[in-house]
Amino acid sequence: MSARRDAEATKEAILKAARHLLARHAHGDITLKAVAERAGVSPPLIVKYFGNKDALFARVMSFDTDADALLDAPLAGLGRHMVRHVLTGRRERGADPLLRIAFAPQHGDHGDVLRADFRAQVTERLAARLTGSGAGLRAELAVAALVGLGVMYGIARGPDLRGAGPDTLADRYGPLVQAQLTPGA
């Protein structure tokens, strides 16, 4: 493995560990040492890659990169693409980054930041791509369908759902999401 690829894998392990801890603990209760232990790295390596705890968690609370990949399809096929993206993320990375909104702390500044980032970087960005009336509501309903799918697939672990392939599920569930993306549907 090249050094660059190894560095990227290490950064991803750190982000995954930080997301895991943030889903279960208040930001103020999480230490760099705890993140490092979960990621299997040293705290100084986290500082090298991310600067400090606040910079690390600012990155964890951003949905920008995830939204780029989620929304990277023409509008006419976006519903299917979004479904497939959520499912392949679960299968390939063991997590869907968008699902961390379901674990946003209910109280406190960091939960507020996570929710605001999610709205701005995912739902509002999707709404801006939609035409017709009610774009904001339709975007929220489409994202709600995706989060529900992610919960059922990754958290509830529905055996029939998990046994079906991503293309089969995208073919069946994509039209449900697409109906929200298409005006008058």
Side-chain angles (χ1 to χ4, degrees):
M1 181 179 284
S2 74
R4 180 166 172 73
R5 201 172 309 144
D6 190 45
E8 291 305 314
T10 300
K11 287 178 187 177
E12 189 55 42
I14 292 167
L15 290 169
K16 186 176 180 179
R19 285 179 184 131
H20 174 86
L21 292 169
L22 188 61
R24 290 156 179 80
H25 306 282
H27 174 267
D29 296 339
I30 302 170
T31 64
L32 283 182
K33 182 179 183 216
V35 174
E37 286 174 1
R38 179 146 191 96
V41 301
S42 68
L45 190 59
I46 295 175
V47 172
K48 175 185 174 187
Y49 287 140
F50 296 98
N52 59 35
K53 179 182 166 181
D54 288 336
L56 170 64
F57 281 97
R59 175 88 178 269
V60 166
M61 288 189 257
S62 175
F63 293 91
D64 248 351
T65 302
D66 304 320
D68 286 346
L70 179 71
L71 302 175
D72 186 25
L75 190 57
L78 188 57
R80 185 181 194 289
H81 168 80
M82 292 169 78
V83 169
R84 196 164 198 305
H85 175 77
V86 167
L87 296 172
T88 57
R90 291 292 316 173
R91 286 179 186 235
E92 293 171 4
R93 295 184 306 269
D96 171 21
L98 295 176
L99 275 186
R100 67 184 181 276
I101 193 61
F103 299 107
Q106 292 300 308
H107 306 288
D109 293 342
H110 291 90
D112 293 341
V113 169
L114 194 64
R115 283 185 289 280
D117 283 355
F118 186 82
R119 282 191 304 273
Q121 297 167 358
V122 179
T123 55
E124 290 172 11
R125 193 166 150 199
L126 175 59
R129 288 192 59 191
L130 304 181
T131 60
S133 64
L137 174 61
R138 292 181 8 246
E140 288 179 3
L141 289 170
V143 171
L146 291 171
V147 170
L149 175 64
V151 167
M152 189 63 190
Y153 185 88
I155 297 168
R157 297 190 176 153
D160 294 320
L161 188 61
R162 290 177 70 86
D167 286 322
T168 298
L169 295 172
D171 289 344
R172 291 185 65 96
Y173 205 75
L176 176 117
V177 175
Q178 190 67 40
Q180 299 305 321
L181 306 178
T182 307

